[in-house]
């Protein structure tokens, strides 16, 4: 078991700590932009095209923003 443990590679995240703030900014700006577009034109057809991606971008952007400032969840 110890030999297998020693052969394992350490976890390397796709986005490093130094990139959290830029990813958060892009996601949050995208989320706010899509939210603005959805608030201008509310219809059943724009909900899946604008509202769902906006909520996902704001959700993931807020998590990245929290991690960027040092509060790890």
């Amino acid at each position: 078991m110890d030999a297998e443990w020693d052969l394992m590679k350490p976890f390397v995240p796709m986005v490093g700590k130094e990139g959290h703030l830029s990813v958060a900014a892009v996601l949050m700006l995208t989320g706010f932009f899509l939210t603005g577009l959805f608030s201008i034109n509310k219809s059943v057809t724009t909900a899946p095209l604008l509202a769902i991606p906006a909520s996902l971008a704001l959700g993931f952007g807020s998590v990245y923003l929290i991690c960027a400032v040092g509060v790890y969840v």
Side-chain angles (χ1 to χ4, degrees), residues 3 7-9 12 16-17 19-20 32 34-35 37 42-45 51 54 62 67 70:
L7 292 175
M8 289 185 195
K9 294 181 182 179
V12 179
K17 289 182 183 180
H20 283 177
F32 286 129
L34 291 175
T35 301
L37 286 178
K42 294 180 186 174
S43 70
V44 177
T45 58
S62 62
C67 292

Side-chain angles (χ1 to χ4, degrees), residues 22-71:
S22 59
V23 171
V26 168
L27 286 173
M28 297 292 279
L29 288 174
T30 302
F32 286 129
F33 178 73
L34 291 175
T35 301
L37 286 178
F38 179 70
S39 67
I40 292 170
N41 185 13
K42 294 180 186 174
S43 70
V44 177
T45 58
T46 61
L49 298 175
L50 296 175
I52 294 172
S55 64
L56 288 172
L58 286 172
F60 284 108
S62 62
V63 170
Y64 271 103
L65 186 62
I66 288 170
C67 292
V69 297
V71 180

